[in-house]
Every structure is written in C-alpha cells, then in structure tokens.
Amino acid sequence: MARYILKRLLISVITVWLLVTVVFILVRLLPGDPFSSDKLTPDIRANLEAYYGFDQPLHLQYLRYIGNLLRGDLGFSIKYQNMPVGKVIADSFPYSADLGIRTILFASLVGIGLGVVAALNRGRPLEYLCIFIAIAGISLPDFITGSLLQYFFGLKLGWFPVALWRSFRHTVLPTLALSFYTLALVSRIMRTSMLEVTGQDYVRTARAKGLPTFKIVWRHQIRNAILPVVTVLGPITAAILTGTFVIESIYAIPGMGKFYVLGVQNLDYTIILGLTAFYGIFLIAANFIVDILYGLIDPRITLADGRRR
Amino acid sequence: MNETTENKRLLELRNLRVSFATYGGTVQAVRDISFHVDGGECLAIVGESGCGKSVTAMAVMKLIPMPPGRMSGSILFKGNELIDLSERAMNRIRGREIGMIFQDPMTSLNPTMTVGRQVEEILAQHEKISREECRKRSLEVLRLVGIPEAERRYGQYPHAFSGGMRQRVLIAMAIACRPSLLIADEPTTALDVTIQAQILDIIRNLQKSLGMTLLLITHDLGVVAKTADRIAVFYAGQVVETGSCDAIFYNPSHPYTRALLGSIPRIDATRATQLSAIAGTPPDLFSPPAGCAFFARCTRAMKICATLAPPPMTVGEGQTASCWLHHPMAGIRRQGAVEGAMPR
C-alpha cells in the first residue's frame, strides 16, 4: 500500500509538471500579451516587461517559474496589482469548494436514488420520468438551467435569491443548476448498473433466502451496482470544477471560476498557470481518492502489488 | 391413495404451467406438470437441458420473474397453496421452510459481502436470536458442511473460496434454518468431478441427519442412481415417467427414459462402440406439438402419438408413464418394456 501511494505520488508530480509545461507553452503561443489591451507608451511597456522578466529568453522565464513553483510561490498576478496568485486561490477557492461539495453530494445522492428507483420500476411510468430527467439533465447546458432556475424560482416565485452567496438560501439555485448534469449522468449509470445486478445469480440467492425486497436492494444490489458510479466520480469532479466557471458568473459567486475566465481573457500568465496547476493537483487527488474507494467497496479489488487479503 | 400417504405429502404440484412472454412469442417452459414429493424422501427430476427442470424448481420457490413469467395450476406445500400467496407470506417460506441450492456457486454468492454475513443474514431474517447466537449458529452450519477453519473463513469474501467451498457455503445457507424441503438445482454441475462426489455426500448426509426432504434436479443419471428414492423424468416441459429409482433404472417404460438410459456411456464398452445419442432435437416450446412431445424422436411412434398427447398410465407399483404403448388397447408385448436399459 505504502509503495503504491509513493508510486502514485511520483506519477502525480510528473503529471503536474507536464501540465504546467504545456500550459506555459500554450499561453505564450497565444497572440498578444498581458499588456496588449492597455494603451501604453513603449517606455512604460519595456519597463513593465523588464519588471516581470518578460524581456528574458523564454527558457529562462520557464526555469524561473518552475523554480518558484517548487518553492510553492505562484507569483503575483499581472493584472491585479499586489495580488499574489496564492492569495487569489485562498480567497476564492473556499466558495468554489463549498459549491462543488454541495453539488457533488446532492448530485450523487439524488442521482443514485433516481437510478435505483428507475431500475426497480422497470417499464412503469416512474422509470420513464427518471429517464426523462436524465435526458433533460444531460441535454441542457448549465447556463440554460442556471438562467431558467433564476427566472422561475428567483424572479417569478421569489422562493430563492437570484444571485450572490451569503446564506443557505443563496446556495440552493446554483447547487441545483450545477448538479443537474451530474445528477443525470449518475442516475443513468446507476440505472444501467442496477438492471445488470438485478439479473445476477446472487440476487436470486438473496431472494431464495426470503429476504424482503428492500434488504435485497440495499445489501445486495446497490453496493454491487455503485462501482461504475464511483468510477465516474473522478471525471465528475472535473465537470463540476469546469461547470463552476459558468454558474459562478451567472450567480455572481466570488469563486475561482471568475478569476480563471478573466485570467484567460486578460492573458494573465501567472493566474492561468497557477490556477491550472491547482486544478490539476485537485483532480489528481480526486482520482486517487476514487481508487481508494474502489478497494473499500469491492473487496476483490486490491490496490497495486500489495498483499492479497 | 389412502389417508396416510396424503398426509405425508410434503409438496404436491398439480397441473403446473409456467410460460414466459418474449418478443418472439410465448415459451411454454412447463406444460401441465403434476408430481409429488413425500416427507423424508429424495425425488430426483431428470431430463435434458431446457426441459423445464429448473423452471419447476424456481416455480416452487415462486422465484419466477413475473412478468414476463406466468404461472398457473397448483403448488401445495404442507397442504397450503403457494401459487396465490403474497410475496410477504412467500418470504416466510423461502429460506425457512424451503431451502434452495443453485447451479453455479461461482456467481451465486454476493462478492461484496463476507461469507459469514451471508450465512448470518438468513438466520437473522427468520429467527429471533441475538447477534452472538446468530454468529454461533452460522459458524456451526459452516462447520457442518465441512468448511475447514470456519472461524478464519468466516470474515473472508467469496473470491477467496474455491468452487467446491462456495457450494458448501451455499448449502450452509440453504440449511441454516433447518428447512423441511431442500431443493438442489444441479448442485454438482459446475464443479470438478472430484468435488462433485463430496458435495453430493454432504447433501445426502444432511438430508438424513436433519430429516429433510430433497428435491434434486440434475441431468446426471449417476448422481440420481446414488441419491434418489424416486425419479421424475422430464421431457419438453412435461413429466413423461415417474417411479421408484429401481423401477426407472430396471424397468424404464417410456421410450424417452429408455433412450436416456441408453445414452449413458458404458465403462465396459469397447473403443469401437459408438456413444449412443437420441436422434433429433426436443420440440420447439414456442409451439409445442399437439401429440406426444417425443413423437418426432421416438423409434416406436404410432399414428395416435402424432395427434393426441398420452395421459400418464400406470405401468407398475407407483410407476406411471405417459405413453400410448401402455394403453390397454395398444396390446403391446410387455417384454418390450423390459428390453429397456439396453442401448439401441
């Protein structure tokens, strides 16, 4: 196990390094630079470039950036004055994480529930309702659901605030909007997986034991059916993180998404690189947790070359 | 049929029909089956693949998925009708009154639950006992079916068990609540030949020591000869012959039974002897023939066999065969039945 974690850690470091390198090159390949939008005199421009080290050869800039990164220094934002990238993350990430965690919890719980209900009501209207929700969730982009929720529940009915992030009531609409796609995905996977498990011999064995249906579903079916859902939880985390960009701007939530989008618009090199590295590490961690969850859910899965139970 | 035999009937099936609606039409898997199992005995159901053996077993437990399945007729267990029993009432019988062992031990255990818990579960469901008592009893049955180091094995998952060991666990589960009827659906089919005999011994010994009635389903006539008291021969979803083990083996009266016995490979056969097989294939159960189901493959078929299905006819003490050859008007030489077990 320890060996496995060490190996995973090493691979993760290489992944992050590759990610940062590729993004570094891509960002520099983009036309323009952070100062192109401002109307600057050539003198001031040269001054600024010298200040940020942009006058040096690219490989030296790269080496300096990596060196700083290794020391945990993400540098200063180019656009926001006196704003270290680390502070941008520290200030904005809690909002994104809050929204993200709420979304993942809500989406996976409700999604699993819907999937189970759909599978148990095969061929009945309830199944078609669940399938309809799933298709709607996958087909509707989040900026549409986001706006629709604002319009109906915020403006028309006035149940929830239209925007901002202050109390629990503020969190409801953005969480719903961001959950919809994930919820739909999870419910579809769960439904298919449940249907597959229902036909398994061990479910027949459980029935032959005289167990009531809810015990069969709970003990014997859900646990065996949930593995594919856990598999997509990694990519789902990615979907939610990228989803936040749109939802955060629609609902005026001061999360990381806004900084990322603005960073790209302004070609704020340090912000783009810093946030990308942060997201990268985050995703790698999420996938790692998923792998550990596998082993907990299915005893047949042991991590790497560790001893068998 | 006198009063006492009526009383000791543990299970009686009358005119049971099971069909499945599929996209290609309705499969009549079990067509008007009647037989009984007496308390304490072992009845073996034999027949080739697809003749409705397993479906009959599943029907007794009411494990047929409905829809697409449909059942009619009568299943009397201890004199009570099961066919129109609710799921809840049925759950008090499943596992407690009737235990069932399945064909494939590799897939019949839940891979994400420890073996011990899977045994505990059935006890916890049917008996009001404490956790420790439950664990104790579970360990007890695991030892009873011959699982070595039961304590250590208790917390392990099924993937750590071999096929034979898993089948033992399934037997342990099936008998944990001391059911009066044990249904074993091809319990040895998926196992190595060396393990088959062990598992069969365990089942037989448990049947004797716990006083259980055994309904054994198999296509292995060797298993039947060793285990069964009585035999019901199935063909194309019908019972074609019933009788005591001896009667079936020494005096097979239905041409199908004879052909089935004739197709057993003989140990004294020379290399030159070809294995004998029954020519043709079983009828299509989407549209079963109007006459005798075995008509098309029968070497002694008569005109009437094509148009009219034969009812069961008594051919000896407790032995019936559904074959027109045994009709008084057939005037068949009785010795025709005796040439029986010989290969054609």
Side-chain angles (χ1 to χ4, degrees):
Chain A
M1 188 67 183
R3 235 185 96 188
Y4 174 73
I5 293 176
L6 213 70
K7 213 167 99 187
R8 276 295 289 259
L9 222 59
L10 198 76
I11 295 172
S12 305
V13 170
I14 296 171
T15 313
V16 173
W17 169 67
L18 280 173
L19 178 74
V20 170
T21 308
V22 169
V23 173
F24 188 91
I25 295 167
L26 284 178
V27 167
R28 295 307 172 108
L29 283 176
L30 285 171
D33 60 56
F35 315 115
S36 53
S37 60
D38 301 328
K39 293 187 179 73
L40 301 170
T41 62
D43 284 351
I44 298 172
R45 202 186 163 88
N47 253 341
L48 276 170
E49 283 185 350
Y51 178 76
Y52 286 105
F54 293 160
D55 51 349
Q56 286 172 359
L58 202 58
H59 65 273
L60 283 182
Q61 290 183 40
Y62 172 73
L63 287 178
R64 202 180 63 167
Y65 185 78
I66 292 290
N68 285 340
L69 193 64
L70 283 176
R71 269 177 267 122
D73 179 7
L74 294 171
F76 278 81
S77 161
I78 298 168
K79 276 286 163 180
Y80 306 99
Q81 272 151 31
N82 262 334
M83 188 65 139
V85 176
K87 190 166 165 10
V88 170
I89 293 173
D91 285 350
S92 60
F93 184 63
Y95 292 101
S96 294
D98 192 6
L99 177 61
I101 290 167
R102 279 169 202 276
T103 302
I104 289 174
L105 282 181
F106 180 78
S108 41
L109 287 180
V110 176
I112 288 170
L114 277 183
V116 171
V117 168
L120 293 182
N121 290 283
R122 187 98 220 249
R124 300 204 197 115
L126 209 52
E127 187 194 19
Y128 297 118
L129 181 72
C130 294
I131 293 177
F132 174 77
I133 294 174
I135 292 175
I138 285 179
S139 320
L140 284 174
D142 46 10
F143 56 88
I144 302 270
T145 15
S147 322
L148 286 177
L149 286 174
Q150 276 180 325
Y151 181 71
F152 286 108
F153 294 101
L155 274 179
K156 287 274 161 183
L157 296 169
W159 291 354
F160 300 104
V162 173
L164 297 180
W165 191 264
R166 290 197 182 129
S167 66
F168 173 73
R169 289 189 47 221
H170 285 87
T171 68
V172 174
L173 291 186
T175 307
L176 278 179
L178 191 54
S179 305
F180 207 32
Y181 174 82
T182 312
L183 184 152
L185 191 72
V186 168
S187 80
R188 271 173 51 139
I189 295 168
M190 192 64 193
R191 175 180 158 272
T192 317
S193 177
M194 274 295 281
L195 286 178
E196 208 180 295
V197 167
T198 306
Q200 293 291 318
D201 286 347
Y202 54 81
V203 173
R204 187 182 60 188
T205 309
R207 290 187 63 206
K209 284 177 176 178
L211 298 175
T213 309
F214 76 92
K215 279 188 185 165
I216 296 174
V217 171
W218 180 248
R219 284 186 206 159
H220 294 274
Q221 288 181 255
I222 291 183
R223 182 152 180 196
N224 282 293
I226 214 163
L227 217 56
V229 172
V230 175
T231 310
V232 295
L233 270 182
I236 277 175
T237 323
I240 284 171
L241 284 175
T242 48
T244 48
F245 298 160
V246 178
I247 295 298
E248 278 175 9
S249 37
I250 291 179
Y251 287 92
I253 297 164
M256 255 168 78
K258 189 186 82 183
F259 288 95
Y260 212 168
V261 173
L262 286 178
V264 174
Q265 275 171 10
N266 297 330
L267 282 183
D268 195 336
Y269 294 156
T270 43
I271 287 270
I272 298 174
L273 278 170
L275 295 195
T276 306
F278 183 77
Y279 276 143
I281 292 167
F282 198 79
L283 258 185
I284 288 166
N287 277 318
F288 182 61
I289 291 168
V290 164
D291 282 352
I292 289 177
L293 276 180
Y294 275 151
L296 291 181
I297 289 171
D298 192 333
R300 285 169 297 182
I301 298 170
T302 42
L303 293 180
D305 36 31
R307 274 175 298 145
R308 296 234 179 97
R309 286 196 214 201
Chain B
M1 201 183 299
N2 59 43
E3 199 68 41
T4 46
T5 54
E6 188 75 54
N7 278 344
K8 65 177 205 180
R9 289 251 149 116
L10 187 71
L11 178 72
E12 181 159 14
L13 273 60
R14 285 186 199 150
N15 307 102
L16 180 73
R17 286 175 178 275
V18 183
S19 61
F20 296 93
T22 69
Y23 289 112
T26 304
V27 194
Q28 299 176 33
V30 168
R31 304 184 294 140
D32 201 12
I33 273 180
S34 302
F35 67 83
H36 67 268
V37 191
D38 289 334
E41 76 168 349
C42 168
L43 176 78
I45 296 179
V46 294
E48 58 197 282
S49 306
C51 68
K53 300 178 305 246
S54 294
V55 173
T56 305
M58 300 273 278
V60 172
M61 286 288 261
K62 291 200 36 187
L63 288 176
I64 307 269
M66 291 190 286
R70 284 184 73 171
M71 281 167 70
S72 68
S74 166
I75 301 170
L76 290 168
F77 178 71
K78 292 185 172 171
N80 302 314
E81 181 59 72
L82 298 189
I83 215 119
D84 40 39
L85 223 53
S86 70
E87 265 301 285
R88 274 190 66 178
M90 209 47 223
N91 274 341
R92 279 196 287 274
I93 290 178
R94 290 183 190 134
R96 193 170 73 159
E97 297 272 2
I98 308 177
M100 190 157 179
I101 307 168
F102 295 99
Q103 183 169 350
D104 195 346
M106 300 311 279
T107 54
S108 292
L109 287 169
N110 183 347
T112 58
M113 200 189 257
T114 64
V115 162
R117 280 221 43 207
Q118 294 192 51
V119 181
E120 271 178 24
E121 188 179 49
I122 187 168
L123 284 165
Q125 185 61 37
H126 295 296
E127 304 192 13
K128 287 194 168 58
I129 47 177
S130 68
R131 279 211 150 172
E132 300 91 83
E133 180 75 1
C134 198
R135 190 186 153 85
K136 221 184 83 195
R137 293 255 317 257
S138 304
L139 272 168
E140 218 168 79
V141 281
L142 283 174
R143 280 194 209 101
L144 201 62
V145 294
I147 289 179
E149 299 182 83
E151 277 95 352
R152 193 173 63 83
R153 300 297 242 158
Y154 199 80
Q156 289 181 341
Y157 289 90
H159 68 268
F161 284 64
S162 68
M165 281 297 153
R166 289 188 204 192
Q167 193 60 292
R168 283 168 204 251
V169 173
L170 282 159
I171 296 173
M173 280 171 10
I175 61 149
C177 295
R178 305 285 149 96
S180 38
L181 176 66
L182 180 66
I183 301 175
D185 185 1
E186 308 239 12
T188 57
T189 307
L191 301 174
D192 290 345
V193 185
T194 44
I195 307 297
Q196 286 185 358
Q198 289 178 18
I199 294 295
L200 211 58
D201 281 343
I202 291 171
I203 294 176
R204 271 192 309 186
N205 290 339
L206 285 170
Q207 187 213 347
K208 297 236 166 58
S209 61
L210 302 179
M212 282 184 302
T213 307
L214 184 61
L215 180 60
L216 179 72
I217 292 159
T218 181
H219 59 244
D220 185 339
L221 289 163
V223 168
V224 174
K226 270 171 81 180
T227 318
D229 298 313
R230 286 195 314 119
I231 297 173
V233 182
F234 273 45
Y235 184 75
Q238 291 176 318
V239 181
V240 293
E241 185 168 359
T242 56
S244 68
C245 198
D246 283 351
I248 299 286
F249 275 99
Y250 295 110
N251 182 29
S253 303
H254 194 283
Y256 176 67
T257 315
R258 262 178 253 160
L260 200 63
L261 290 169
S263 61
I264 303 174
R266 301 185 68 99
I267 196 150
D268 53 357
T270 58
R271 268 163 189 270
T273 323
Q274 282 209 348
L275 290 176
S276 117
I278 307 175
T281 49
D284 182 10
L285 291 180
F286 280 106
S287 52
C292 173
F294 193 55
F295 170 71
R297 306 169 82 182
C298 187
T299 49
R300 305 163 137 236
M302 303 177 290
K303 238 186 218 163
I304 188 173
C305 305
T307 49
L308 205 59
M313 283 173 246
T314 308
V315 291
E317 173 79 45
Q319 186 181 9
T320 60
S322 301
C323 179
W324 286 119
L325 290 171
H326 298 287
H327 193 270
M329 281 176 69
I332 186 197
R333 322 174 304 273
R334 279 301 291 157
Q335 69 267 34
V338 187
E339 91 194 24
M342 297 292 115
R344 283 176 297 143

